[in-house]
Amino acid sequence: GAVVSQHPSWVICKSGTSVKIECRSLDFQATTMFWYRQFPKQSLMLMATSNEGSKATYEQGVEKDKFLINHASLTLSTLTVTSAHPEDSSFYICSADGALDTQYFGPGTRLTVL
Amino acid sequence: QKEVEQNSGPLSVPEGAIASLNCTYSDRGSQSFFWYRQYSGKSPELIMFIYSNGDKEDGRFTAQLNKASQYVSLLIRDSQPSDSATYLCAVNIGQGGKLIFGQGTELSVKP
């Protein structure tokens, strides 16, 4: 149980384009999902908290107009990186809040912006 | 600033030995504590969670929590090369399920 999927698992795009990443909780409902970014050899950095049916809460320093988050249902949250640039290349990981506030992570999406 | 501190390592242990991973946290109000394992290039995988003072055992893994000392640890018995990974300590600070992560300890188990 407590399986979280992400799609796509990797994506390569040109600078200036937008990329959408989906995060799904497959066998449980998640009122809250989280989006993280991780650069090589560094720890997880929380970008935003996504609550079903309401606006996401962004961490300090994260541009909400660049990283659009939508949590339209209890099993799906999406992250759209708008006008991506090479510095946005990273490993993006979502997690879903399960029972007892335990976070279950998706497999991650590796984004490369050329 | 709520913080979670871990030794970055690397921690190297021989196969079959006990690996001890430590974590301290700054927020006394923290209620739940988690250990995640992250293999290189992969996302974190939940190993254990603990809420109460004392020990919690699951197979080869034992989590230990001491709220008075603001200290949580993970012991891995009979370490295997497949245990080689980065271990992340995470603390729930009571803000809507938000976790604060330590920087992770890299564990290397040598055959």
Side-chain angles (χ1 to χ4, degrees):
Chain A
V3 179
V4 178
S5 70
Q6 269 185 255
H7 178 80
S9 56
W10 60 271
V11 57
I12 300 173
C13 69
K14 292 182 179 180
S15 185
T17 60
S18 295
V19 174
K20 180 186 280 188
I21 302 170
E22 292 186 350
C23 177
R24 293 181 185 273
S25 55
L26 297 184
D27 52 1
F28 67 104
Q29 293 183 329
T31 304
T32 305
M33 292 184 174
F34 302 87
W35 287 95
Y36 296 83
R37 182 165 55 179
Q38 188 174 38
F39 293 105
K41 301 292 186 183
Q42 295 186 23
S43 190
L44 296 169
M45 187 195 83
L46 179 65
M47 299 176 67
T49 302
S50 167
N51 292 297
E52 186 268 337
S54 64
K55 290 184 179 180
T57 302
Y58 291 82
E59 294 299 302
Q60 193 172 9
V62 178
E63 301 174 58
K64 62 181 180 180
D65 294 330
K66 180 169 184 62
F67 300 100
L68 302 178
I69 292 172
N70 183 276
H71 194 158
S73 77
L74 289 172
T75 59
L76 173 64
S77 176
T78 61
L79 167 69
T80 301
V81 183
T82 62
S83 187
H85 289 93
E87 58 266 30
D88 298 322
S89 299
S90 189
F91 191 38
Y92 291 86
I93 313 171
C94 73
S95 70
D97 198 14
L100 300 176
D101 279 341
T102 301
Q103 285 188 31
Y104 297 93
F105 284 86
T109 297
R110 197 161 301 279
L111 171 63
T112 301
V113 184
L114 302 177
Chain B
Q1 180 75 13
K2 295 175 171 57
E3 294 181 345
V4 176
E5 298 286 341
Q6 295 180 253
N7 290 328
S8 59
L11 173 66
S12 183
V13 301
E15 183 174 358
I18 296 175
S20 178
L21 304 161
N22 305 314
C23 173
T24 59
Y25 59 95
S26 63
D27 183 6
R28 283 197 170 275
S30 300
Q31 293 297 316
S32 52
F33 308 85
F34 303 83
W35 283 100
Y36 289 86
R37 176 175 63 197
Q38 186 175 24
Y39 291 111
S40 181
K42 303 294 185 181
S43 67
E45 169 192 12
L46 180 68
I47 296 177
M48 291 189 71
F49 57 86
I50 186 168
Y51 303 113
S52 304
N53 276 328
D55 295 359
K56 180 182 179 183
E57 187 174 318
D58 183 1
R60 296 187 294 112
F61 299 97
T62 299
Q64 298 175 316
L65 175 62
N66 184 323
K67 289 186 178 181
S69 300
Q70 296 175 242
Y71 176 90
V72 58
S73 66
L74 179 70
L75 301 178
I76 306 174
R77 289 181 299 281
D78 188 24
S79 296
Q80 302 296 309
S82 58
D83 294 326
S84 298
T86 296
Y87 289 79
L88 300 168
C89 171
V91 175
N92 186 320
I93 59 172
Q95 292 182 7
K98 183 176 170 179
L99 296 180
I100 304 297
F101 283 86
Q103 68 270 36
T105 298
E106 183 182 350
L107 172 66
S108 177
V109 181
K110 302 295 186 184

